[in-house]
Amino acid sequence: MTIGNIPPKKERKSRRTKPVDENAPLLPKRQEDAGFDEFNGASFTGAVFNLSTTIVGAGIMALPATMKVLGLVLGVAMIIFMAFLTEASIELLLRFSRAGKSASYGGLMGDAFGKTGRILLQAAVLVNNIGVLIVYMIIIGDVLSGTSSSGAHHTGVLEGWFGEHWWNARAFVLLITTLFIFSPLACFKRIDSLSYTSALSVALAVVFLVITVGITIVKLINGSIAMPRLMPDVTDMTSFWKLFTTVPVLVTAFICHYNVHSIDNELEDSAQIKPVVRTALALCSTVYIMTSIFGFLLFGDATLDDVLANFDMDLGIPYSSLLNDAVRVSYAAHLMLVFPIVFFPLRLNLDGLLFPSARPFHQANTRFALLTIGLITTIFLGANFIPSIWDAFQFTGATAAVCLGFIFPASITLR
């Protein structure tokens, strides 16, 4: 890749004057091809909400479990470290995208490593995003229909309200959610169309956090919470190696690189992308740290891999049942609204992988519909056969997520 001088920001004030890499298969060759003539560009706030929604997904539910393994001090330090590492890797992507005039992550990888690089990037996005979306569905199933862990059954919201029936069984609930929530939201062809649902999803995550913090503070005041471990409990080699199982979870929690170019391409002022990234990372890191601390404080060593499953017990405070349901329903709704944000680049990259020379799929309604149906069906089946979110996190975090977030940006830089 030839690295020239990065174009001055003043030359890129409008999204209509952005250089477009015609070799990048994931985007239209001309902005007019996408049918966005009436679109004047995304706002700073909308971009922050979309990127924040990309980041804050299912990873937050596994972070209290990482505190159980790492202890509070090391766990919080790792979250902060991962935030700075993520910002640095995105900075590398943006810098070399400007230099190489690449308008997509796939185009940048293709510029650096040719067709092989582009295919590797697209394959990594497929593995990572399918894994993440399967995790979303698993959590929604756990919340609404219940789950079993270590021989104990944790009651779901619908099961607790109405008892066990065929219509609130896991598979049927996920089917209804897929047909009437995921499918309609997945039909938008422009990511900025999801800015309002992204804002609502961030608000729902904050609702979850506020309720969790409130419950924990009440229990701290009445003295019913023991002092949590500040450092990891390492007694033998098994417990030492277990520390490394948290790394894929932390990596997955911050992966948003596959959506940065899509958000950047739609910004009214493309010079805002760096402040957008920093604002989103600061917001998400704050939510992550508070959720990790208060979730671990609340449940201690009884914290499950999916902390939402812990909210089926008597919390020992007034209105415990109501608060449990509010926590679980608010975060299940959050994940439903996050789904289309992660699904958008998944479909885009699959289209580029299967049809690299075809016209933009925004104009090909049949191809667009078939890809959407095929991916949603795959995710639905995966959510019904993969047993736990920790298994999915371990696989995606140790493979595709680390490539997307750190190995590929570093390789581009070295190239």
Side-chain angles (χ1 to χ4, degrees), residues 234 236-246:
V234 180
D236 51 26
M237 285 303 296
T238 300
S239 58
F240 172 75
W241 289 115
K242 190 177 181 180
L243 299 178
F244 294 95
T245 65
T246 64

Side-chain angles (χ1 to χ4, degrees), residues 216-257:
T216 308
I217 290 175
V218 170
K219 291 178 71 68
L220 282 171
I221 292 173
N222 65 29
S224 58
I225 290 180
M227 181 65 183
R229 282 184 293 102
L230 297 180
M231 298 302 293
D233 183 18
V234 180
T235 57
D236 51 26
M237 285 303 296
T238 300
S239 58
F240 172 75
W241 289 115
K242 190 177 181 180
L243 299 178
F244 294 95
T245 65
T246 64
V247 175
V249 177
L250 290 165
V251 170
T252 304
F254 278 97
I255 292 300
C256 60
H257 303 63

Side-chain angles (χ1 to χ4, degrees), residues 57-185:
I60 193 174
M61 292 298 100
L63 287 178
T66 67
M67 297 297 111
K68 183 174 70 172
V69 176
L70 297 175
L72 283 182
V73 174
L74 184 58
V76 170
M78 285 297 296
I79 291 174
I80 295 172
F81 173 72
M82 286 302 302
F84 280 105
L85 202 60
T86 300
E87 196 276 332
S89 64
I90 292 175
E91 162 67 22
L92 292 176
L93 290 181
L94 292 173
R95 181 191 309 171
F96 291 104
S97 294
R98 301 288 191 261
K101 301 182 186 292
S102 296
S104 71
Y105 199 164
L108 181 59
M109 282 291 289
D111 190 17
F113 300 103
K115 182 179 179 181
T116 301
R118 175 179 58 78
I119 292 174
L120 283 175
L121 182 279
Q122 292 165 335
V125 171
L126 292 183
V127 173
N128 179 79
N129 290 29
I130 287 176
V132 167
L133 293 177
I134 287 174
V135 168
Y136 289 1
M137 276 204 187
I138 291 174
I139 292 178
I140 291 168
D142 291 349
V143 168
L144 298 180
S145 300
T147 184
S148 298
S149 177
S150 302
H153 181 70
H154 298 273
T155 305
V157 173
L158 296 178
E159 187 181 355
W161 288 351
F162 305 106
E164 291 189 34
H165 299 282
W166 64 269
W167 51 265
N168 60 19
R170 184 188 193 89
F172 188 76
V173 168
L174 289 180
L175 177 62
I176 295 301
T177 305
T178 299
L179 291 176
F180 294 101
I181 298 177
F182 294 150
S183 297
L185 290 176

Side-chain angles (χ1 to χ4, degrees), residues 39 41-49 192 195 263 266-268 272 276:
F39 178 57
S43 67
F44 177 87
T45 304
V48 169
F49 280 133
D192 187 63
S195 60
I263 292 170
E266 293 185 3
L267 273 173
E268 183 178 6
Q272 293 181 329
V276 164

